[in-house]
Amino acid sequence: LSKSKFIIVFLFAFLLCLSPFCYSTDTNSDTALLREASEVNNIQYSDLSVLNESSYTLNNIVSGNAFISATNFSTDPTSNGGIIEGNLYVAAKDVAIKSETIYSETEYDDLGNPDITVNSYSTISGSAFIIANNVKIEPGSKIYGDLYICANNVELMRNAIIYGNVFVLSDNLS
């Protein structure tokens, strides 16, 4: 190797060591929202475990998995909360994955249903595993993985978004 090629290779290797190796950009708006919310909300940077609570509302951000055992469980997406960056595991009597929506009284879709404006919504970046008596997933709520539900009554409301597969074992599905 000549001296000039050695210097060029050495400089290139030196610059490579000083620069970051990943030049990715965040294109997921929910994750971008999570990053903006970190200045405002409490973020738990580990798994969340809630055991034997009578009622639990997830109104913050969990950067990990959520393991919930409660009589009543719900998410609260207001103030950028209700976000789980991992999987959700729930055993409860009543489960509600909530959103904040407004139903139009004057605008309707092709099927005659009122148009929906979603102001805020719950987000689960992984899969959701739910065992409950009653499960309600409201419009605009997003689950990026699969949804597994074993419940007596399941209500998957119109405009609830599940990007993966849906597996439901239920007496009543609406």
Side-chain angles (χ1 to χ4, degrees):
L1 229 27
S2 70
K3 188 175 183 178
S4 62
K5 287 183 182 177
F6 177 77
I7 290 174
I8 290 173
V9 170
F10 178 76
L11 269 167
F12 180 73
F14 179 74
L15 290 174
L16 186 63
C17 289
L18 290 180
S19 65
F21 289 100
C22 180
Y23 294 100
S24 65
T25 58
D26 187 9
T27 59
N28 185 340
S29 62
D30 295 329
T31 306
L33 180 67
L34 171 71
R35 303 298 177 232
E36 291 173 15
S38 65
E39 300 164 2
V40 180
N41 286 341
N42 294 329
I43 296 182
Q44 180 166 337
Y45 290 102
S46 62
D47 291 345
L48 171 68
S49 294
V50 176
L51 299 174
N52 300 324
E53 293 285 330
S54 60
S55 182
Y56 184 78
T57 300
L58 178 69
N59 56 8
N60 57 352
I61 298 169
V62 177
S63 184
N65 297 318
F67 302 90
I68 311 294
S69 171
T71 304
N72 298 306
F73 170 73
S74 65
T75 58
D76 181 9
T78 58
S79 303
N80 297 327
I83 298 174
I84 301 170
E85 283 195 325
N87 293 326
L88 171 65
Y89 303 89
V90 178
K93 180 181 175 193
D94 297 308
V95 175
I97 309 297
K98 295 186 175 184
S99 64
E100 184 181 328
T101 57
I102 298 172
Y103 292 89
S104 173
E105 295 180 9
T106 57
E107 306 275 332
Y108 297 92
D109 65 10
D110 295 339
L111 299 173
N113 298 315
D115 282 344
I116 297 174
T117 303
V118 179
N119 293 327
S120 62
Y121 52 87
S122 299
T123 302
I124 302 168
S125 295
S127 296
F129 303 87
I130 301 170
I131 298 174
N133 188 37
N134 300 302
V135 176
K136 182 177 185 179
I137 300 181
E138 295 185 358
S141 297
K142 292 184 179 182
I143 300 173
Y144 286 93
D146 295 331
L147 174 61
Y148 300 87
I149 299 176
C150 180
N152 286 333
N153 301 302
V154 176
E155 186 176 3
L156 288 172
M157 298 184 75
R158 190 172 64 90
N159 293 344
I161 301 167
I162 294 100
Y163 289 101
N165 299 307
V166 177
F167 302 94
V168 176
L169 178 60
S170 175
D171 290 335
N172 183 19
L173 173 64
S174 59

